[in-house]
Amino acid sequence: MNNILAKYRGKRLPSRIIAMLMGCIMLGFGVAVFWHTAMGADPYSTLNTGLSYKMNMSFGKWQAIINIALLAVVVIFDRSMIGLGTVGNMFLVGFSADFFFPMLGKIIPPTDEMGFIVRVLITVAAVLIQLVGCSFYITSDLGMSPYDSITYIIPDKIHVHFRWCRIVTDLICVIIGFVCGASVGIGTLLNAFGAGPMLPILNKYVAGPILKAENVRS
């Protein structure tokens, strides 16, 4: 409990809360862009998109349900990972994606009217937006989503580098999502193989310095 409360001490709390909220919204926006370009989504969203099809539920509702289930695992193994950011990610990402998706249809041309190169460029931009958003919400040190928490807990328990653990868990999510009917594309692969190596770099050289974080996850 003391470790959880320690997250909310310090003069930079308002800026950290803003960074966490904006990071979660950026993650949701990225998911919506992936849906629109039909070039795949990040691995965890691919998992939940496929399972939401099977459950005949909206993406936001299903993601909230599976996050609650995974939260129980985090409570058992490392409660220090839980905080305001956990709640923000569990609910804000999914519902932000549901919110932005119809709006994008009014701004960006339909998929069949965009050339392949344009779709790829938009998808790459969405991947970067997601990785930056993920970095800021993690570096705000207000708690992580159950899925992100697990990708940090496993390396600590079995002494494997974070990047390799993240790649393996992301690939598992992609496979399950694909089997359940989610589309897999360039965006999925960029996230699956890019998050593990890129997040520590973004945490150290982008989010960390901006938030003046003392303990940056690598």
Side-chain angles (χ1 to χ4, degrees):
M1 179 63 72
N2 289 333
N3 290 335
I4 296 176
L5 293 177
K7 298 177 185 295
Y8 304 96
R9 301 182 183 129
K11 298 179 180 179
R12 294 187 297 274
L13 181 59
S15 62
R16 288 164 56 210
I17 291 177
I18 292 173
M20 180 273 292
L21 294 174
M22 291 303 300
C24 290
I25 292 173
M26 289 169 70
L27 285 168
F29 178 77
V31 173
V33 174
F34 290 145
W35 288 344
H36 188 82
T37 59
M39 299 291 280
D42 66 275
Y44 189 55
S45 296
T46 299
L47 169 71
N48 288 322
T49 298
L51 291 176
S52 68
Y53 292 159
K54 291 293 184 180
M55 298 298 175
N56 195 28
M57 298 175 64
S58 74
F59 174 80
K61 289 180 180 179
W62 171 253
Q63 179 146 300
I65 290 173
I66 196 170
N67 275 335
I68 291 172
L70 291 178
L71 181 62
V73 177
V74 179
V75 169
I76 293 173
F77 289 100
D78 192 348
R79 296 183 182 181
S80 68
M81 295 283 189
I82 300 172
L84 185 60
T86 307
V87 178
N89 190 284
M90 285 174 63
F91 297 98
L92 193 55
V93 174
F95 290 112
S96 292
D98 286 341
F99 173 78
F100 284 119
F101 182 59
M103 295 177 60
L104 289 173
K106 301 177 182 179
I107 302 173
I108 305 176
T111 302
D112 55 2
E113 294 182 11
M114 290 189 290
F116 179 75
I117 299 300
V118 173
R119 291 169 60 200
V120 169
L121 292 176
I122 293 175
T123 300
V124 170
V127 171
L128 293 175
I129 289 172
Q130 279 209 317
L131 290 177
V132 171
C134 187
S135 178
F136 271 97
Y137 113 81
I138 287 176
T139 307
S140 67
D141 195 28
L142 293 173
M144 289 189 278
S145 74
Y147 177 69
D148 287 326
S149 296
I150 288 173
T151 62
Y152 277 100
I153 291 173
I154 293 176
D156 289 341
K157 297 296 182 181
I158 64 176
H159 307 292
V160 175
H161 198 284
F162 167 77
R163 70 164 63 94
W164 301 117
C165 178
R166 182 74 185 218
I167 289 174
V168 171
T169 55
D170 281 353
L171 287 176
I172 291 173
C173 288
V174 170
I175 293 170
I176 295 174
F178 178 73
V179 170
C180 291
S183 63
V184 174
I186 292 175
T188 314
L189 298 177
L190 288 175
N191 255 297
F193 291 100
M198 287 299 297
L199 278 177
I201 295 173
L202 290 171
N203 293 348
K204 183 176 181 179
Y205 296 107
V206 180
I210 291 176
L211 294 177
K212 299 179 180 179
E214 296 178 358
N215 298 312
V216 178
R217 291 187 177 274
S218 60

